[in-house]
Amino acid sequence: MQRVPRAVFGGGRVQPDDVFQLRWRAAMIEDEPQGQAPRRVVIFADTHGTGDALAKALRGLGAAVAVVRPGPNFTQTGDEFVVNVKDPAQIAKLLAAAPGAGQLSVVTLWGLDDEAAEGVIHALNIARALNKERLTLVTRGATSPSGEGGSLAQSALLGLQRALSLERPGLQCTSIDLDPTWPAASVADLVDELERASGADQVALRSAGRSVARLTEVKAAPVTQPARFLVGERGALESVLLHPAPRTAPGKGEVEIEVRATGL
């Protein structure tokens, strides 16, 4: 849980007991504000071809694009680069050599290939090398707008994006989650999202439509008696539920605390 600035709610009246939760809401990209489309892009390409197809599409729209692949040592062949992102000097060299002029937009799809821990480390190393550039983390199946749960490995990158947005707002870090069951249209939708540059920081693209994460007020039912969390099924967060529990009066030297809000 975290304290939310009043400005998030557009100056509306917020009560002390109000609780808000991040939820996915359908949002057509045509209704989003139009930002500045990227014209200087560095793409950390995955091995499935999504990054290469994205580079081709953006070049067709007039953008200068560098494609980066992992390797032990820095090499450059035209607009193709090999970089070890664990070496800050190699990342700095890449950013300096990236073609084009103007603000740099960095899109990493390496998380589509990596294990959870490795994907977060790669993305974090890239973020550390950036200053005011735009950083987009592309995942596939990291979340589920319909609520049935996403990939734990991919959701680690979504957590990193949220942390970077809070701790380094100047980085303009966003996440775009692709549909794991609908890969054919992923590139076209990804291009549209990058070109629109709407400012939405968490986007999920699905065959059923586009969704964005928004803070939504939760009308929680009042708790009239003591309760405790019980795990119904190990490994399933959705099975953790509140169950009634007997109240035990505090003894000597003990303190009873009334919890008004909690989160997991």
Side-chain angles (χ1 to χ4, degrees), residues 121-213:
I121 291 171
H122 283 164
L124 186 57
N125 286 334
I126 294 169
R128 284 172 174 163
L130 302 177
N131 186 18
K132 295 291 186 180
E133 296 85 356
R134 183 184 302 163
L135 174 62
T136 301
L137 307 181
V138 180
T139 57
R140 191 184 296 279
T143 188
S144 175
S146 56
E148 61 267 13
S151 163
L152 288 178
Q154 291 287 290
S155 64
L157 280 169
L158 189 58
L160 175 63
Q161 181 273 325
R162 291 172 178 171
L164 289 173
S165 294
L166 289 170
E167 297 177 14
R168 295 190 58 191
L171 190 58
Q172 305 177 60
C173 185
T174 64
S175 66
I176 301 176
D177 190 49
L178 306 180
D179 192 336
T181 64
W182 195 48
S186 293
V187 173
D189 285 344
L190 186 54
V191 170
D192 288 345
E193 199 65 44
L194 293 173
E195 283 289 299
R196 189 75 183 185
S198 67
D201 62 350
Q202 296 177 58
V203 179
L205 303 176
R206 297 292 186 270
S207 59
R210 174 182 182 272
S211 299
V212 296

Side-chain angles (χ1 to χ4, degrees), residues 13-70:
R13 186 174 180 83
V14 181
Q15 300 298 325
D17 291 331
D18 286 350
V19 177
F20 293 81
Q21 185 178 47
L22 203 61
R23 290 183 174 174
W24 293 94
R25 294 285 181 260
M28 295 181 65
I29 194 169
E30 293 81 6
D31 296 332
E32 297 276 18
Q34 175 76 57
Q36 183 178 1
R39 285 298 170 261
R40 184 176 178 233
V41 186
V42 171
I43 297 176
F44 289 81
D46 61 312
T47 60
H48 304 289
T50 304
D52 290 317
L54 175 63
K56 181 179 180 180
L58 291 177
R59 285 168 178 153
L61 293 172
V65 181
V67 176
V68 187
R69 308 185 196 282

